[in-house]
Amino acid sequence: MKQAYENEKIKKLLKDFYSVTNQRVGVFDSDFNCLCEYPKPCCEFCSTIRKSKAGSEACRKCDREGMRLAQSGKTVKYRCHAGLIEVCAPISDGFGTAGYFMFGQVLSENGGELQYKKCRELSKKYFGNEFDKYYSTLKVISDDYLDSVESIMRACVGYIYLEKMLNAAQSGLAERFIYFAERNYGQDISVDTVARELNVSTSAIFKAVKKQTGVTPSKIIAATRVEKAKQLLSSTNKTVTEIADAVGMHDYNYFSRVFRREIGMSPTEYRKATSRE
């Protein structure tokens, strides 16, 4: 029920964004899948391109490339494969990039003849002799207006983060879990505590992690801690007890049991085996 509620909130936000900016907008998850968009369908120009298999694939590829550029954490502005302006911003869930906010499919008011010729060169194969007809339906906006819409978009991205509309429940749950474990292994974390942080159920985490990795979430946490312990054992002079504390396993005997189970030798044996002569 929670995820459906969040999706409805995102849909309303996109509708409000369109009402204010008159720009079509979409939200994608961390795997580049479209969660929702408004309005539907897209503009006549793009809809015609997407009627062909090649055109549809080119559009999807271009969207993915734009989102990959935004993985750097910054908003990106670019020309799509057909020569139209698009803007993409990453959405954070506090643990990484949870998705992307995109708008565009527009032309620049200052593009002039050069913009027309470029779009025609890139997309005439989808329109034949009717290119001018569909080109004339595209929205043309000024650079100042584009900057203003981009500012509103960034405000929407911040609102999505603050309201937790897009989180691990909707994209990359296994990746979110692993990401959290790798950055908090030194804390007193368990599957229950991570579930609370990600705002999902423990059963949802178990199912997602087991499906993607073949092991349980508890196994992921233990393996992450042991991997960090291995690094400390081979690169520092910390005692085994200190290392156990550093990786969040404060019971020395428990740490030693888990380490032996994962590596096949005790922490002390591992240190001797990997120590430099």
Side-chain angles (χ1 to χ4, degrees):
M1 291 298 294
K2 182 174 178 55
Q3 183 171 344
Y5 173 64
E6 289 172 340
N7 283 343
E8 287 304 314
K9 289 175 70 176
I10 291 176
K11 288 177 182 177
K12 183 179 185 306
L13 179 65
L14 299 194
K15 185 176 180 179
D16 291 343
F17 179 90
Y18 179 79
S19 297
V20 171
T21 67
N22 200 33
Q23 297 300 311
R24 185 173 185 275
V25 62
V27 168
F28 297 74
D29 67 18
S30 60
D31 295 320
F32 310 149
N33 300 307
C34 184
L35 293 175
C36 54
E37 53 190 349
Y38 190 88
K40 288 186 176 183
C42 53
C43 67
E44 278 190 86
F45 186 91
C46 295
S47 294
T48 302
I49 290 177
R50 293 178 183 182
K51 286 179 182 178
S52 72
K53 181 179 180 182
S56 181
E57 290 177 350
C59 288
R60 286 197 295 270
K61 181 180 179 182
C62 189
D63 285 344
R64 288 194 295 269
E65 288 175 352
M67 286 181 268
R68 288 191 183 98
L69 289 173
Q71 285 178 335
S72 65
K74 296 181 179 179
T75 299
V76 294
K77 188 186 304 178
Y78 59 94
R79 293 273 181 171
C80 75
H81 72 99
L84 308 186
I85 298 170
E86 296 193 334
V87 184
C88 179
I91 302 170
S92 172
D93 64 358
F95 306 104
T97 300
Y100 305 90
F101 194 104
M102 297 184 71
F103 79 89
Q105 300 177 350
V106 297
L107 296 171
S108 170
E109 188 177 71
N110 300 320
E113 186 67 16
L114 182 61
Q115 177 178 243
Y116 168 81
K117 289 181 178 179
K118 189 63 176 178
C119 286
R120 190 171 187 275
E121 174 189 345
L122 291 171
S123 58
K124 184 180 179 181
K125 58 187 174 184
Y126 302 114
F127 301 99
N129 295 328
E130 293 191 308
F131 173 79
D132 286 351
K133 168 188 172 183
Y134 288 100
Y135 185 82
S136 66
T137 66
L138 289 167
K139 291 180 181 177
V140 181
I141 62 176
S142 68
D143 291 342
D144 286 344
Y145 187 71
L146 181 63
D147 290 342
S148 296
V149 176
E150 187 177 335
S151 295
I152 295 172
M153 178 184 71
R154 285 196 292 269
C156 289
V157 167
Y159 182 65
I160 290 172
Y161 168 72
L162 289 174
E163 293 295 313
K164 297 182 178 179
M165 294 182 193
L166 187 64
N167 55 34
Q170 294 168 299
S171 60
L173 178 51
E175 289 86 352
R176 301 269 86 75
F177 177 84
I178 294 169
Y179 185 97
F180 187 91
E182 288 179 344
R183 284 153 183 76
N184 297 276
Y185 62 87
Q187 307 300 317
D188 291 324
I189 61 171
S190 64
V191 179
D192 287 340
T193 58
V194 179
R196 286 195 294 273
E197 288 291 336
L198 299 183
N199 200 27
V200 296
S201 67
T202 55
S203 61
I205 287 181
F206 185 91
K207 182 178 180 180
V209 173
K210 183 72 173 179
K211 179 179 180 180
Q212 181 154 325
T213 68
V215 299
T216 65
S218 296
K219 178 78 171 178
I220 294 291
I221 293 175
T224 300
R225 285 170 163 164
V226 168
E227 191 60 33
K228 300 300 180 182
K230 285 168 58 181
Q231 296 173 15
L232 293 173
L233 286 165
S234 60
S235 64
T236 73
N237 293 320
K238 291 180 179 290
T239 67
V240 175
T241 299
E242 289 173 333
I243 290 173
D245 283 336
V247 299
M249 303 174 77
H250 309 298
D251 184 323
Y252 172 85
N253 292 326
Y254 175 68
F255 168 69
S256 296
R257 287 198 305 273
V258 172
F259 192 95
R260 182 181 288 278
R261 184 187 69 202
E262 295 289 325
I263 306 302
M265 61 180 75
S266 70
T268 301
E269 291 170 339
Y270 179 84
R271 169 169 273 172
K272 288 180 180 179
T274 58
S275 63
R276 298 178 180 177
E277 296 296 327

